[in-house]
Amino acid sequence: MNNPLDIMYAEHEVVMKAEKIVDGLKGLWETDPSRFESTARQLVGFFREYADGYHHRKEEEILFPAIMDHPDFVLHGIIEEFETHHEDFREYAREIMEALDDKDYPRAMKVLERYTGDLLDHIAAENDELFVLAENLLDPQLLETLYFKFQDVDMELGQERKAAFEAMIDKLME
């Protein structure tokens, strides 16, 4: 069986690499402000397009509705909480870009750190709660259908573009 949750876990692994990159930015604006700004902007682009565009889209348009539509699912608040997190992440990205545009690098760093901290907590909750719930709740046929819907999202947005974001994160970690 093609398991759609394998895709979600793999995307989480890529997103979690951002923490190390953000840690490497601490104080960099003082010694190399242009590199700090460039890297921070690349991270925001990654968060907006990869984490939100590829990953959150699959959750919001495909996974969450499949879970919510299941007759045995009763924890609707958990889905609402995850959606609220997604909105918070979009706001963080906006705040970081605003701080970068203002050349307020300490503020940009502060929001980047908050963003990655909250993102890691969010990922842990999805890995430990939501994805386990989905695997136990949804039957293998539906999971297979979700897998191909996830593939459709990647094809629509561009599989090469997704791979380029993954390579960019690896390069930024060097």
Side-chain angles (χ1 to χ4, degrees), residues 4-151:
L5 301 173
D6 292 342
I7 294 170
M8 305 311 277
Y9 287 120
E11 289 173 354
H12 276 175
E13 288 297 318
V14 173
V15 172
M16 289 188 317
K17 293 177 181 181
E19 178 187 30
K20 190 176 232 178
I21 298 163
V22 170
D23 286 345
L25 291 176
K26 289 179 183 169
L28 183 63
W29 66 85
E30 295 168 345
T31 58
D32 192 346
S34 64
R35 188 165 145 232
F36 172 84
E37 183 173 340
S38 171
T39 303
R41 287 185 185 278
Q42 287 178 68
L43 277 171
V44 172
F46 168 79
F47 289 141
R48 284 180 166 167
E49 293 192 50
Y50 186 92
D52 198 39
Y54 285 87
H55 186 79
H56 293 159
R57 179 174 172 190
K58 290 178 188 117
E59 290 174 344
E60 292 173 1
E61 294 180 9
I62 300 165
L63 183 61
F64 292 170
I67 292 170
M68 301 256 311
D69 289 346
H70 195 281
D72 295 335
F73 180 69
V74 294
L75 303 170
H76 296 279
I78 193 172
I79 300 294
E80 292 168 7
E81 183 178 338
F82 286 126
E83 288 175 329
T84 298
H85 293 172
H86 294 175
E87 288 300 321
D88 292 344
F89 299 145
R90 292 174 188 125
E91 180 60 23
Y92 286 152
R94 190 197 61 69
E95 286 181 47
I96 295 163
M97 292 305 286
E98 183 180 284
L100 292 172
D101 289 344
D102 293 344
K103 306 289 189 214
D104 187 347
Y105 299 139
R107 188 177 107 211
M109 186 68 201
K110 182 179 174 186
V111 180
L112 264 171
E113 289 176 316
R114 193 171 18 161
Y115 189 159
T116 54
D118 288 356
L119 191 57
L120 292 177
D121 291 345
H122 174 83
I123 287 171
E126 285 187 343
N127 286 352
D128 296 344
E129 298 170 29
L130 181 70
F131 297 165
V132 172
L133 171 74
E135 192 125 35
N136 291 319
L137 190 65
L138 306 176
D139 67 65
Q141 271 187 311
L142 180 54
L143 287 170
E144 181 95 8
T145 299
L146 298 182
Y147 174 85
F148 289 109
K149 287 183 177 184
F150 285 1
Q151 292 292 334

